DNA sequence: ACCACCTTGATTAGCGCTTT
DNA sequence: AAAGCGCTAATCAAGGTGGT
């Protein structure tokens, strides 16, 4: 059976029953006296019963009003208990966060990130999936991971890339190598050298091929 | 007569829904 | 997205009633 009143009406009822005076009761729930009068009137109309006997001197609960006030008091108490529990749950977050990440990020960034996260949310567990860039994206799209950390690239449909950090590439060589004394290097110069690359499934390899693709054809695997 | 209190009419503001 | 519309609830101001 639908009822055309809300919790505000019950709070109004509670206040008026407690104070027995429209002006004081209205003040206690931050309403004008006339607004409270209308609110009580609306509640009585919705219920189809008279809750209060009014004179210009006194406001008292009717017999029906006493019964209804007692029941609505139970309802409000239950509601307030539920709200208090909800508030407690929201402050006491628990659960599991799964992060798929490439090995370099897992090694360099994640330990500190996890340490700070655990300090803030001690009841939340963090699961790390340490894998190649391709597998990171696969873990995210399949729902295995909540989010992933990998190299930027062409995001597959249904995923979104947000930049976290910018990193630089460096060339690692022996002291006696001709490039050892150089401060910088172009992709063209780099391509003239023999170098050890990574497997094709590695995200770094894709980035490298993409960069070199702008100056020269990609090397065969 | 005066005061305190509740009710009522007029007006305004906020919100949600529908239409353009 | 913006405009129009209806509903709801608020305030203000005035009126009615009863006690002192």
């Amino acid at each position: 059976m639908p009822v055309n009143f809300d919790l505000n009406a019950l709070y109004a009822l509670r206040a008026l029953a407690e104070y027995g005076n429209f002006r004081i009761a209205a003040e206690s729930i931050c309403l004008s006296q006339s607004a409270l009068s209308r609110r009580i009137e609306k509640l009585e109309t919705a219920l189809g019963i008279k809750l209060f006997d009014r004179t210009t001197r006194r406001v008292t609960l009717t017999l029906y009003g006493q019964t209804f006030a007692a029941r609505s008091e139970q309802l409000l108490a239950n509601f307030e208990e539920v709200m208090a529990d909800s508030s407690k749950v929201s402050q006491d977050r628990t659960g599991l966060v799964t992060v798929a990440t490439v090995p370099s990020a897992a090694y360099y960034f994640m330990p500190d990130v996890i340490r700070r996260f655990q300090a803030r949310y001690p009841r939340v567990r963090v699961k790390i999936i340490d894998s190649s860039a391709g597998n990171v994206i696969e873990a995210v799209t399949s729902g295995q991971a909540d989010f992933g950390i990998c190299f930027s690239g062409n995001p597959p449909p249904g995923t979104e890339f947000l930049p976290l950090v910018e990193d630089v590439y460096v060339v690692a060589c022996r002291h006696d190598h001709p490039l050892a004394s150089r401060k910088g290097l172009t992709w063209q110069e780099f391509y003239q050298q023999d170098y050890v690359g990574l497997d094709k499934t590695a995200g770094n390899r894709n980035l490298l091929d993409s960069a070199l693709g702008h100056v020269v054809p990609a090397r065969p695997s």
Side-chain angles (χ1 to χ4, degrees):
Chain A
M1 172 183 148
V3 287
N4 188 25
F5 64 84
D6 54 21
L7 283 173
N8 287 331
L10 299 187
Y11 280 117
L13 166 70
R14 174 200 264 177
L16 188 56
E18 179 180 355
Y19 293 104
N21 176 290
F22 271 83
R23 185 182 56 78
I24 298 172
E27 194 174 307
S28 75
I29 56 175
C30 301
L31 278 184
S32 69
Q33 176 267 318
S34 57
L36 175 62
S37 175
R38 288 191 196 275
R39 190 170 284 185
I40 295 298
E41 179 187 31
K42 184 188 171 189
L43 177 59
E44 288 179 325
T45 302
L47 294 171
I49 58 174
K50 191 178 180 192
L51 295 170
F52 291 94
D53 283 322
R54 284 95 135 170
T55 69
T56 55
R57 301 286 97 190
R58 180 174 301 177
V59 181
T60 53
L61 282 165
T62 63
L63 197 58
Y64 286 126
Q66 289 175 29
T67 303
F68 186 80
R71 299 298 295 274
S72 71
E73 183 57 42
Q74 292 173 7
L75 189 71
L76 289 175
N78 287 340
F79 173 71
E80 285 164 357
E81 188 180 342
V82 168
M83 292 305 291
D85 286 347
S86 299
S87 174
K88 187 171 182 298
V89 167
S90 68
Q91 289 170 10
D92 196 13
R93 293 181 183 175
T94 61
L96 170 69
V97 176
T98 303
V99 185
T101 175
V102 292
S104 55
Y107 179 81
Y108 287 107
F109 311 133
M110 293 308 289
D112 184 51
V113 170
I114 292 171
R115 181 182 55 75
R116 283 186 284 149
F117 184 83
Q118 291 280 272
R120 189 168 178 180
Y121 304 104
R123 295 171 64 86
V124 178
R125 291 191 303 123
V126 179
K127 178 183 175 184
I128 299 293
I129 299 174
D130 179 355
S131 193
S132 67
N135 289 341
V136 166
I137 292 175
E138 168 61 24
V140 172
T141 54
S142 68
Q144 192 182 353
D146 295 302
F147 60 91
I149 300 173
C150 66
F151 308 100
S152 64
N154 296 322
T159 63
E160 185 181 355
F161 271 73
L162 294 173
L164 271 181
V165 293
E166 276 192 12
D167 215 346
V168 295
Y169 275 101
V170 297
V171 172
C173 59
R174 291 171 52 88
H175 287 296
D176 55 354
H177 193 278
L179 296 179
S181 59
R182 297 283 298 274
K183 296 287 186 189
L185 198 63
T186 66
W187 287 112
Q188 184 73 47
E189 291 170 324
F190 172 73
Y191 186 70
Q192 307 302 319
Q193 309 295 320
D194 289 329
Y195 64 91
V196 179
L198 293 166
D199 185 81
K200 264 194 159 180
T201 61
N204 261 323
R205 169 62 182 270
N206 292 333
L207 279 182
L208 204 56
D209 286 349
S210 174
L212 290 172
H214 288 98
V215 290
V216 291
R219 286 194 167 188
S221 56

